[in-house]
Every structure is written in C-alpha cells, then in structure tokens.
Amino acid sequence: MSDTYDDGLVQLDRTAITLHRYHFPSGTSKIIALGMIRGYKAQSLGWFTARFTFWGGTDPRHWLPLDVQRPLRSTLITLDIPGTRPSPAFTPARPDEFLALLDELLARFG
C-alpha cells in the first residue's frame, strides 16, 4: 500500500492531512498534523448529512472544504482534534483507500 493518498481535494501522507479549498472565502488549504488527530468518525453521506453542503457547515459542529462533487460522494469523515471547533469534515473520492491508509498511519502515532 502506498504511504500517500491524493484525490485533488484531500491529501494524506505520513505527516499530515491537507484539505484543499478549506478556508472561506480565500480557498486556502488547511494542514492537519496526524499527531494532532485524536480520532475520526466515518459515516454514510445521507440526504441530511451535508450531502448538498458545498462549502462550510450545516451546523456549528463541523466545517467542510469546497467540493462541488460532494453530492456524488458516499462517505463523510469528521476529524476529532482537541481544541478545534468546528471540527474539520470532508468527503474523500476514494473513502475505503483513504480510511485504510489513515488507520495505518494513525496506528504509528499510538
């Protein structure tokens, strides 16, 4: 398995997750060090689970980067980062591949 994942909007490597087009209105990226992540929640992207939120958040608990392909995606991932509100959330294009690599990389941090 490769040590990197990149679908153009979400990038994961051995040190960090980069969420492109995260900040509003500048569209700059958010870089999250893997050591800062306490855990994550992966859930099916349903009709009421941010499917049609292209940028921002449907509630104050999480924030999503700009992604016009989100209605076609299947999985919403929300990161648990202590002291960060709202929590970063995103929809990777290949969720199974992303989650397998994320689990492997987070296990290295113990």
Side-chain angles (χ1 to χ4, degrees):
M1 174 183 278
S2 173
D3 274 356
T4 62
Y5 169 91
D6 190 348
D7 63 23
L9 294 176
V10 178
Q11 182 179 348
L12 172 61
D13 60 34
R14 290 179 286 143
T15 60
I17 296 174
T18 302
L19 302 176
H20 298 287
R21 299 188 219 160
Y22 185 82
H23 297 285
F24 181 85
S26 66
T28 56
S29 298
K30 180 173 186 73
I31 300 171
I32 304 160
L34 291 181
M36 298 295 295
I37 300 172
R38 180 171 37 196
Y40 69 86
K41 178 180 177 183
Q43 63 190 64
S44 178
L45 193 60
W47 292 106
F48 301 106
T49 315
R51 180 171 296 275
F52 296 103
T53 302
F54 294 104
W55 200 350
T58 56
D59 61 55
R61 293 176 296 170
H62 60 271
W63 183 267
L64 296 111
L66 176 62
D67 183 358
V68 296
Q69 297 295 316
R70 186 165 291 116
L72 306 175
R73 309 238 192 251
S74 63
T75 305
L76 176 69
I77 297 172
T78 305
L79 299 177
D80 180 8
I81 303 171
T84 301
R85 293 290 178 253
S87 296
F90 53 95
T91 49
R94 301 180 310 277
D96 293 337
E97 179 184 338
F98 176 87
L99 289 171
L101 180 57
L102 181 61
D103 285 339
E104 178 184 321
L105 294 174
L106 289 178
R108 294 179 186 175
F109 284 92

